[in-house]
Amino acid sequence: MGRPPCCDKVGIKKGPWTPEEDIILVSYIQEHGPGNWRSVPTNTGLLRCSKSCRLRWTNYLRPGIKRGNFTPHEEGMIIHLQALLGNKWAAIASYLPQRTDNDIKNYWNTHLKKKLKKFQSVLDPHVTPDSSTTSHQSFSDRRSLDFTNQPNQATASSLYASSTENISRLLEGWMRSSPKRNNTNNSSDHHHPLLKEGPQDEKSSVHDQQFNNNKNNNDSVDNSVATTSLHCYRPKQELQEGGGDLISNEEYISILSFENLNNVSWDKSTTSDNNSTTKASLNSANDHHEDKINVTTIADHHKIKQRSDLHRQTSTPPLSILEKWLLDESSAGQVEEINQMMELSPIF
DNA sequence: AATCACGTCAACCGCGAATAT
DNA sequence: GATATTCGCGGTTGACGTGAT
C-alpha cells in the first residue's frame, strides 16, 4: 500500500509561483508563522500543495536569504563541507544561513562540480574526470577558476530580481515591522507589509538584521533577492595574471594541504570539547573507518543543528574553531590561514 | 533570422524521519 | 507499540535564457 500523496492532486497548481501567490503566502506566514503547512493552502486559498508552499517559503520568501553570486568564501565552505559531509545540503546550508540547501545544491551541481572536474584534469591528467572523490579541492582551485562564468550568473540574477522585486520590497517592510522574524508566535504583529509601501532605498534591511554576526562588508550588501549590484572580485585579476588554468607552486602546495585536510576527520581539529571523539580520531589518523564514524558524528551534529535552526538564528551557539573559520567571511587570506592552521597542527 | 545545444535554476517527486494520535 | 500524518531532505526534471552555428 503506497503512501497517500501529500495533497490532492486535483486542482493543484504547479509550476512557477506568481507574485500574487507569493504575497498571499508571505502575508499568511507573517500572521501565523511558518509551520503547519498542511493548513496553509486551505487557509490561504492557494491552489498549491503544502509542500510547495513550504518550499517556496524556505527557498525564496523567507527573510534573510541571500541570492546571487556566491562569494569565494562561500564556495570554499561548500567545497569543504561537501567533502566532509557529502551531499548533505541541509547540513551544509546550516553553515551558510543565508543560502538555502536548494541553492547550494544547484550551485554545486552546476558550477562547483565542473570546476572540480576541470581542476582535477589540470592537476592530474591521469585522474578520470568523474572519479568519485570530490575532496581533492582547494581554495586555490577556486581562485584559479573563479568567476569564469560570471556573466551567466549576472544574467540569472537580474532575471530573478525582475520577477521577485515586489516580494523583496514586501519582505523589507515586514522585517522593519517585525524584528522577530520566523517566530511562530509573532502573530501579534499584524502589520501587513502588503499594505505598506517599502521604500527602495532601504534594500539592505532584510538579511542584515539577522546575520550581522557573520557577514563581512566585502560581501554583497545588496538585498536578499538579487539586485543589479554585481561583484567583481580580485580573483579575476589573479586569473588573468596567473595565466588561466595554470596553477602556481603556492597554489599547488595549498592543494596538497587541502588533500590532507580532507583525508582526516575535521573533528580532530575541532572537537576540543569532545574528548572521546578527539582521542579516537587522533589514535587513528589513517583509519578510514574511524573517519567515517567521526563524519557521522558531525553529520548527526548537523541534524541536531538543523532541528534547532529556527531557534538558532537569534542565539548563536558556541562555535568550534572550524565553525568559526567557516563563518568568518572576513578571512580574506583564507588559503594562507588554512595552510598555517595545518602547519601548526601535528595532525596534519 | 532561425535553429540547435547547452547551462541554469525553480520546482516537483519520492522517500525516510519525526511527530501525533 | 502501532498506525497515521506531517515535515524535511536529496535527487531529478523541465522551462527558460543564452550563445553558437
Side-chain angles (χ1 to χ4, degrees), chain A residues 7 191 197 255 271 334 342:
Chain A
C7 50
H191 188 81
E197 287 185 9
I255 291 160
T271 53
Q334 43 202 318
M342 288 184 290

Side-chain angles (χ1 to χ4, degrees), chain A residues 25-26 28-40 53-54 57-58 62-63 174 180-187 310 313:
Chain A
L25 182 59
V26 168
Y28 177 82
I29 292 173
Q30 186 215 353
E31 203 162 336
H32 299 91
N36 197 11
W37 297 107
R38 180 81 171 173
S39 64
V40 172
C53 293
R54 182 180 58 80
W57 171 257
T58 54
R62 176 169 59 95
W174 177 21
K180 286 190 175 183
R181 67 155 203 85
N182 269 4
N183 186 345
T184 52
N185 297 326
N186 69 351
S187 57
L310 281 175
Q313 288 170 355

Side-chain angles (χ1 to χ4, degrees), chain A residues 7-194:
Chain A
C7 50
D8 192 355
K9 302 280 183 188
V10 180
I12 293 299
K13 188 182 172 190
K14 290 163 91 173
W17 280 65
T18 64
E20 289 78 16
E21 288 176 313
D22 283 341
I23 288 170
I24 291 170
L25 182 59
V26 168
S27 171
Y28 177 82
I29 292 173
Q30 186 215 353
E31 203 162 336
H32 299 91
N36 197 11
W37 297 107
R38 180 81 171 173
S39 64
V40 172
T42 50
N43 290 347
T44 59
L46 285 168
L47 298 176
R48 298 278 182 173
C49 77
S50 55
K51 285 172 81 169
S52 185
C53 293
R54 182 180 58 80
L55 201 69
R56 183 65 185 171
W57 171 257
T58 54
N59 283 345
Y60 297 96
L61 302 178
R62 176 169 59 95
I65 295 173
K66 186 171 82 176
R67 305 203 57 81
N69 298 337
F70 280 68
T71 66
H73 183 78
E74 285 173 324
E75 278 194 14
M77 287 174 68
I78 293 168
I79 289 166
H80 293 302
L81 287 168
Q82 202 278 340
L84 176 68
L85 300 166
N87 295 352
K88 303 293 180 189
W89 306 117
I92 293 170
S94 71
Y95 281 100
L96 292 150
Q98 294 181 292
R99 302 290 188 179
T100 68
D101 53 355
N102 204 37
D103 227 10
I104 293 169
K105 180 173 60 181
N106 280 334
Y107 191 69
W108 173 264
N109 287 329
T110 57
H111 293 90
L112 297 180
K113 251 181 167 178
K114 289 171 192 169
K115 284 186 182 179
L116 290 178
K117 277 186 183 179
K118 191 177 175 185
F119 167 71
Q120 282 180 353
S121 62
V122 169
L123 183 67
D124 183 3
H126 299 101
V127 175
T128 56
D130 54 351
S131 60
S132 59
T133 173
T134 55
S135 62
H136 305 283
Q137 179 59 297
S138 72
F139 283 108
S140 304
D141 175 30
R142 288 188 295 99
R143 296 173 73 191
S144 59
L145 300 174
D146 258 345
F147 308 109
T148 52
N149 42 16
Q150 280 282 39
N152 283 345
Q153 290 178 341
T155 305
S157 298
S158 40
L159 285 172
Y160 180 86
S162 67
S163 68
T164 58
E165 203 173 358
N166 292 337
I167 302 301
S168 162
R169 288 181 198 147
L170 177 154
L171 290 172
E172 285 159 21
W174 177 21
M175 289 306 296
R176 276 195 301 275
S177 62
S178 55
K180 286 190 175 183
R181 67 155 203 85
N182 269 4
N183 186 345
T184 52
N185 297 326
N186 69 351
S187 57
S188 60
D189 183 2
H190 291 301
H191 188 81
H192 253 249
L194 310 179

